[in-house]
Amino acid sequence: MQCMGLSSLAGLGAKTVALCLAALLTACQPQPIYEAYDGQSKRVYPGKSWAKAESPEALGWSSARLAEARALSDEIGTTAVMIVHDGVVVDAWGEVAVKSNLHSVRKSLLSALIGTQVDAGAIDLGDTMAALGIDDNAPSLTEVEKQATVGDLIKARSGIYHAALYETRQMTASKPPRGSHAPGTYWHYNNWDFNALGTIYEQESGEKIFEAFQERIAGPLGMEDFEVGDGEYFTGEQSIHSAYPFRMTARDLARFALLFERDGRWRDTQIVSADWVAESTSAHSETGPGRGYGYMWWTVDDEAAYANLGGHHRFYYAAGYGGQYAFVFPDLDLVVVHRVNTDRAFERAPEAQIGRLLWLILAAAGVEDIGPDPSLEAAAGERLDNAGLRRVLSGQTFRGNDRDGNPWRVTFNEDGDLIGVAGHNDEQGDQGTWRIEDDAYCRQWKKWAGGKDGCFVLVQEGTILKAYDSTGTLMRKIDLAAS
């Protein structure tokens, strides 16, 4: 019922006016964002709204640790967090009911839709681009590229490096040359694959993506906010295959994540088959030690493979530009949604900060074996002062590997110049400057780190040098013996 002005009641009888006023006051009251959790029900699913515990302690969680997580999220630019344990909201903060762009999380949503059509027999993962008549504008696909299958695309292994829409500058720059890898032989995170899958879905199912998502997933899950108009097609000259960005609230994304945590089942209805959930959230490519890529989902087989987590709880997640995450911990019955509203000016939180946020959330849940506290406050070792920093850094070259296994090295010249190279063939490089001030090491690259100035506290523990950023988060470890 819409709220209206009192003038619209003119001319009605006194009794009718009284009844209308009562109805209007009820309708115009702000509706509660959560329902109260009774503390007894098991295998909870949200109804019209989510059930929330009276306190985190009622579910065995620590409010103090969650307060630390909230404080960190404020520092790193988070706009919404939602934590769901056993289907009940443990805690949530920020703009959980505000719609914003999911960015690449859209791919995990499409993966679920494709799963429904694979199960229905409308889409065959073995079909090739040639068999489906899939091509692109000039320079069009080669005969070799047309042998890529739908399965290759959904695993980001197509070998088709045609220009694509809705890519970041980094994605475009890192794309391999056309014809450099045969279909199915090489993993590369590739928007051409993901966008062409949208075309294939609509062609083979006869359904439009956003209408299908509403009918097959959002509606059955009772999403509170999603509407078909929250999706749009992004077109351009680079490719005939449109991107399909979604706008969604954190609380609706949490429902989608809970669907997968529940093996595709929502109450008594199997929305997405359990086999598809298992297959799509298993690693089909290794993207780094203990890390992988499934069917448009990221996988982590050991927390030690994710920044600042050191335990043994497998999880998987959907991820999008700017800080959009839906983490699913199946063995913990836990879903964590993290959002950043990119409609406004924002700072992208590094993965290490997201990892520390997850560490605090898991610690709040009382989860054991999650590794040491990754905060400066808990750091073991010697905190280096100005003299110590100059002794350790000046004239030195440090080497290491990034999370994807790519090597890098950085040289700290005594005159304050900074030289960095990365990649297996030193194909990426940058220059900058470094300095020491107030017992912190500061650096500014020309291109790396967005060209922004950054300062770090360094702690030395034996031969290990640990760098902590302005939030007190462990950002990197360097083995001095290996350098």
Side-chain angles (χ1 to χ4, degrees), residues 35-44 51-55 58-59 86 88:
E35 299 173 1
Y37 174 55
D38 62 16
Q40 302 297 321
S41 302
K42 301 298 180 184
R43 208 63 175 170
V44 178
K52 186 176 182 181
E54 182 177 343
S55 69
L59 295 176
D86 289 339
V88 179

Side-chain angles (χ1 to χ4, degrees), residues 357-369:
L357 182 66
L358 285 178
W359 189 95
L360 287 168
I361 290 170
L362 294 177
V367 178
E368 298 180 353
D369 191 25

Side-chain angles (χ1 to χ4, degrees), residues 64-74 81 83 93 357 360-361:
R65 278 295 193 190
L66 287 171
E68 292 181 60
R70 186 181 298 221
L72 176 62
S73 73
D74 289 342
V81 168
I83 304 167
W93 57 84
L357 182 66
L360 287 168
I361 290 170

